[in-house]
Amino acid sequence: MSSSYASLTSALKQAGLRLTPQRLAICRFLAESREHPTAAMIYEHLRPEYPSLSAMTVYNTLKALVELGQVNALGDCGDDNVHYDADTSPHINLACISCHRIMDLPAPQIEALDGEISRASGYQLLGARLMFYGLCPDCQKTRVL
Amino acid sequence: MSSSYASLTSALKQAGLRLTPQRLAICRFLAESREHPTAAMIYEHLRPEYPSLSAMTVYNTLKALVELGQVNALGDCGDDNVHYDADTSPHINLACISCHRIMDLPAPQIEALDGEISRASGYQLLGARLMFYGLCPDCQKTRVL
DNA sequence: TATTTATTTATATTTATTATAAATAAGATT
DNA sequence: AATCTTATTTATAATAAATATAAATAAATA
Ligand SMILES: [Mn+2]
Ligand SMILES: [Mn+2]
Ligand SMILES: [Zn+2]
Ligand SMILES: [Zn+2]
């Protein structure tokens, strides 16, 4: 389950940032998307509705949300693009190195890990990005490699 | 425990790639390093010994080792640099978002996860990059934020 | 040794992201 | 409401990591 639209927008507001139409649209897309979008994907998706939208605004808003801990930057999944995840709860991201889709898997074990890692390392944990890589069922069929 | 020098070099050899002095030096550094180096770190470290070394050779060798499954590209840890890990066994990488060091934690639970994920998703798993982010004990003391 | 092939190096190019500054919008003040 | 002030957006330029290209070098083969 992704961070809700409400939690994204209220985090921005609490940080003293204005809830502009552009920022609200970016939050809405992040909250509704299940596809771990890149900055470019967000920009292209919103452009029809906001023709004057600039890529800078997308980058700035993503940066703010990441710094507020509302969004994770997952990094690339073989396509050289940084993918973002509005679901910051501990879960496994499963990326296909062929079609570059990223799906989620619930992982109850991970929640338990958190406490153990803190204890073992002395770290103050702030977030996790758990990526497994492989070939999705579809790509296993079609892939020649 | 990192991939050994021997397994890195024999993987290159088996792939039909020549074991040049530059490639051997890169493998040696990867096998001996515990600091999850970036391409730039490898380049700078080897330059005194190999003054003619080109950054392209570092990028090419890393790319080959990643494609052979001998090295993982962990992605950035808040410093906008891709870090590499010659330890491809399932383990947790714990990155400090302040000093950007990455340490390893053994995680027996992770090995069990692998099978469960395959079963649940139908994916053919090829690797994992497990990053936890936080503040290391040192940075918890000094950090103002 | 000569020939072929792989690799390295040097250089140019690409491209995602960041920086900068002007234009615009919003909020506050009178 | 009109003016002032600040935040935000946009357009543009700059940055820098990674990639592509091609000449130079090294290694393997005949
Ligand atoms: Mn996810
Ligand atoms: Mn590691
Ligand atoms: Zn796929
Ligand atoms: Zn630290």
Side-chain angles (χ1 to χ4, degrees):
Chain A
M1 184 199 43
S2 292
S3 269
S4 70
Y5 176 66
S7 72
L8 293 176
T9 55
S10 75
L12 289 176
K13 191 167 197 176
Q14 277 194 301
L17 298 170
R18 291 183 189 159
L19 299 181
T20 63
Q22 295 91 334
R23 284 176 178 162
L24 293 176
I26 292 165
C27 288
R28 197 176 322 118
F29 184 64
L30 282 168
E32 288 170 0
S33 173
R34 218 103 291 147
E35 57 174 338
H36 304 83
T38 65
M41 285 162 74
I42 298 170
Y43 177 64
E44 291 305 332
H45 183 266
L46 295 179
R47 226 138 70 94
E49 197 182 346
Y50 298 86
S52 77
L53 181 68
S54 129
M56 262 315 295
T57 300
V58 178
Y59 282 118
N60 283 339
T61 305
L62 284 171
K63 187 165 183 253
L65 290 168
V66 168
E67 279 169 3
L68 291 166
Q70 294 290 316
V71 165
N72 277 339
L74 293 183
D76 88 288
C77 63
D79 60 356
D80 288 320
N81 287 112
V82 178
H83 289 255
Y84 291 88
D85 194 345
D87 181 355
T88 55
S89 70
H91 70 279
I92 288 164
N93 295 289
L94 196 42
C96 177
I97 61 165
S98 179
C99 65
H100 302 134
R101 277 189 288 252
I102 303 176
M103 64 174 285
D104 288 328
L105 273 186
Q109 304 95 328
I110 300 297
E111 317 228 12
L113 260 186
D114 223 80
E116 287 184 49
I117 292 169
S118 289
R119 249 195 320 284
S121 66
Y123 269 59
Q124 176 190 342
L125 289 186
L126 298 167
R129 261 143 275 189
L130 308 180
M131 302 287 291
F132 281 79
Y133 295 82
L135 286 170
C136 72
D138 281 354
C139 290
Q140 284 175 53
K141 291 176 208 142
T142 56
R143 181 102 158 169
V144 270
L145 196 120
Chain B
M1 184 199 47
S2 291
S3 268
S4 69
Y5 176 67
S7 72
L8 294 175
T9 56
S10 76
L12 290 176
K13 190 166 196 177
Q14 277 194 303
L17 298 170
R18 290 181 190 161
L19 300 182
T20 64
Q22 294 90 335
R23 283 176 178 161
L24 293 177
I26 292 165
C27 289
R28 197 176 321 119
F29 184 63
L30 283 167
E32 288 169 2
S33 173
R34 217 103 292 148
E35 57 174 340
H36 303 84
T38 64
M41 287 162 73
I42 298 170
Y43 176 64
E44 291 305 333
H45 183 265
L46 295 179
R47 227 138 71 93
E49 198 181 347
Y50 298 84
S52 76
L53 181 69
S54 130
M56 261 317 296
T57 299
V58 177
Y59 284 120
N60 282 339
T61 305
L62 283 170
K63 188 166 184 254
L65 289 169
V66 167
E67 279 169 2
L68 292 167
Q70 293 290 317
V71 165
N72 276 341
L74 292 183
D76 88 288
C77 62
D79 60 355
D80 288 320
N81 287 112
V82 178
H83 290 255
Y84 291 87
D85 194 346
D87 181 356
T88 55
S89 71
H91 70 279
I92 289 163
N93 295 288
L94 196 42
C96 177
I97 61 165
S98 179
C99 66
H100 301 135
R101 277 190 288 252
I102 304 176
M103 65 174 286
D104 288 329
L105 273 186
Q109 304 93 330
I110 300 298
E111 315 227 16
L113 260 185
D114 223 79
E116 287 185 48
I117 292 170
S118 288
R119 251 195 320 284
S121 66
Y123 269 59
Q124 176 191 341
L125 289 186
L126 298 167
R129 258 141 282 186
L130 308 181
M131 301 288 292
F132 281 79
Y133 294 83
L135 286 170
C136 72
D138 282 354
C139 289
Q140 284 175 54
K141 290 177 210 143
T142 56
R143 182 102 161 170
V144 271
L145 197 120

